Amino acid sequence: MLLTDSLTLALRAISAQRLRSFLTLLGIAVGIAAVILLTSIGEGIHRYVLAEFTQFGTNVVGIHPGRTKTGGASMSGLPSSAKPLSLEDAEALARLPNVIAVTPSVWGNAEVNANGRLRRVSVYGVGPGMLTVFKGKVRSGQFLPADEVGSARAQVVLGPKLKNELFGSENALGARVLIGGLRFRVIGIMEPKGQFLGIDLDDTAFVPAARALEMFNRAGLNEINVAAAEGIASASVVAAVKEVMKARHGSEDVTIVSQEEMLETLGGILDVLTMAVGALGGISLLVGGVGIVTIMTIAVTERTNEIGLLKALGARQQTILGLFLGEAVALAAIGGLVGLLLGMGLAQLISFFVPALPVHTPLSFVLLAEALAAAIGLAAGVLPARRAAQLDPVEALRTE
């Protein structure tokens, strides 16, 4: 029997029982829609999180005080021999080959008092290399100058939101502000950066790291960030940083994390999360598969005479098997298409009404979902189709 004839017979069998066929393919459609919707949300969140981190570049290496250990008992509460990170450490790292910028970092919360207004915000002590390391831009004025470590001037660069809260539409350049009890002069306003994982980067103040150490009464930096030249393997930069820190501190008492390594780890975690969410939606596909098995079993019982007639006319077992398998696959494939349209439509509706929730449906997910629907139809139709193919033609023709 020709493939076109088999397909025609399968579609006629489906259309002959419209309501039953609709209810059967609805089970597959709901399952596919759930898979598409959940994986779209998962993939959207995946891309959103990675985009949040990569907005600061992918060639950044972070140096943190203290050595992170794995295994064994917790070391919390015990005295540490790790030396604090210093501004001199940052200067030494800036002299490494393939390093284009370095910024020390120390942060905390402080009250900012200016123009008769008071506001508590995040204050970051950084170096002039911060713009290069974290791809920042100044909207007006200038960023912190490259002063000597021991003679950093009391200057501040305001985030755009903080500037508007304190000065409104007035010109803030040259104004005096009181931050954490210390007086600073405004020399620049940053370009809007938005939020990073819930932290408003525009509602901040940037001061020289030496001044921040004094303000927060800290002995050392929170971290040092190093930006490597494009095209340079982060592993080579990490190795060079280790050598410098070991030479300066006498031992490897720092934790070094490259942005590339962090993104790979984060990407792997988010991939697993997306797959887990998709698997939860796939559970409903099992219900659709059970529905196909049930309907095809009923169809074999109702069409026993038809099967006997086909065998009496010379149809082989493979032909009968192909007819019922084709019907099961067609039911599942049509249900899959309906589910794809439903799932993608719901994803777009969510994206329209909740713009903050990222939703993305990759083409690979669409093709995989449709292939999965067809595979479920094929698997679910095997037993009923084999039963139909193995019927005795004489006994089948006798059946009323």
Side-chain angles (χ1 to χ4, degrees):
M1 183 179 289
L2 297 176
L3 179 62
T4 53
D5 294 335
S6 299
L7 183 60
T8 301
L9 286 174
L11 293 176
R12 283 181 179 175
I14 292 173
S15 60
Q17 298 287 342
R18 290 184 179 86
L19 180 59
R20 188 168 69 188
S21 298
F22 171 74
L23 294 176
T24 304
L25 65 85
L26 187 61
I28 293 292
V30 170
I32 292 295
V35 170
I36 288 294
L37 181 60
L38 292 175
T39 52
S40 296
I41 294 174
E43 180 66 13
I45 294 174
H46 184 164
R47 293 185 172 219
Y48 172 77
V49 172
L50 291 184
E52 286 284 281
F53 281 94
T54 54
Q55 67 174 311
F56 303 114
T58 57
N59 60 337
V60 179
V61 175
I63 300 96
H64 307 265
R67 179 73 175 161
T68 300
K69 298 181 182 295
T70 56
S74 171
M75 303 296 289
S76 60
L78 297 179
S80 173
S81 60
K83 292 182 179 179
L85 292 176
S86 65
L87 296 171
E88 290 76 12
D89 290 334
E91 288 188 333
L93 294 173
R95 293 191 290 268
L96 286 174
N98 300 319
V99 169
I100 58 175
V102 172
T103 179
S105 295
V106 56
W107 56 80
N109 291 317
E111 289 185 345
V112 180
N113 193 337
N115 203 28
R117 298 174 183 177
L118 182 65
R119 187 172 180 82
R120 176 169 285 274
V121 299
S122 297
V123 178
Y124 290 88
V126 296
M130 195 276 285
L131 292 184
T132 303
V133 174
F134 292 116
K135 301 185 181 301
K137 292 183 180 179
V138 176
R139 185 174 66 188
S140 60
Q142 65 178 50
F143 199 66
L144 301 173
D147 290 336
E148 294 293 332
V149 171
S151 59
R153 285 170 283 182
Q155 298 173 331
V156 61
V157 178
L158 303 179
K161 182 176 180 180
L162 178 58
K163 181 265 177 187
N164 290 334
E165 291 290 339
L166 295 177
F167 297 96
S169 59
E170 299 177 15
N171 180 22
L173 297 180
R176 300 287 179 174
V177 297
L178 199 65
I179 305 177
L182 302 177
R183 191 172 297 277
F184 292 82
R185 184 170 64 88
V186 179
I187 63 170
I189 309 297
M190 296 293 292
E191 284 279 3
K193 193 72 173 177
Q195 292 195 351
F196 173 68
L197 300 180
I199 301 173
D200 192 349
L201 299 178
D202 297 335
D203 198 15
T204 55
F206 298 94
V207 301
R211 294 285 180 168
L213 289 172
E214 177 187 354
M215 181 187 306
F216 299 122
N217 194 26
R218 290 183 57 93
L221 304 170
N222 289 94
E223 64 180 8
I224 299 173
N225 291 287
V226 174
E230 293 293 340
I232 301 299
S234 61
S236 63
V237 178
V238 169
V241 169
K242 284 182 179 179
E243 291 299 321
V244 170
M245 298 309 298
K246 190 173 182 180
R248 290 187 55 82
H249 288 212
S251 63
E252 193 178 322
D253 61 350
V254 295
T255 300
I256 303 172
V257 180
S258 68
Q259 188 87 340
E260 182 180 336
E261 178 186 358
M262 184 186 66
L263 289 174
E264 287 178 0
T265 303
L266 187 60
I269 294 172
L270 293 172
D271 283 337
V272 172
L273 178 62
T274 302
M275 292 175 61
V277 169
L280 288 175
I283 293 175
S284 56
L285 282 173
L286 296 177
V287 178
V290 171
I292 290 179
V293 173
T294 304
I295 294 303
M296 294 306 299
T297 301
I298 295 173
V300 170
T301 303
E302 290 181 345
R303 294 159 60 188
T304 303
N305 277 332
E306 178 185 337
I307 296 169
L309 180 61
L310 287 172
K311 284 200 166 188
L313 293 174
R316 296 178 298 173
Q317 281 194 2
Q318 293 89 334
T319 303
I320 304 298
L321 185 68
L323 282 174
F324 282 90
L325 279 179
E327 186 175 334
V329 171
L331 272 172
I334 295 171
L337 287 174
V338 174
L340 288 176
L341 295 175
L342 182 61
M344 294 172 68
L346 288 174
Q348 293 304 313
L349 279 176
I350 291 175
S351 180
F352 178 78
F353 287 108
V354 190
L357 180 63
V359 176
H360 178 77
T361 309
L363 179 61
S364 58
F365 283 8
V366 173
L367 298 177
L368 183 61
E370 183 60 20
L372 181 62
I376 288 175
L378 185 64
V382 167
L383 289 178
R386 284 191 62 190
R387 181 188 168 199
Q390 292 172 357
L391 284 176
D392 181 80
V394 176
E395 294 298 327
L397 285 171
R398 286 177 179 173
T399 303
E400 292 295 333

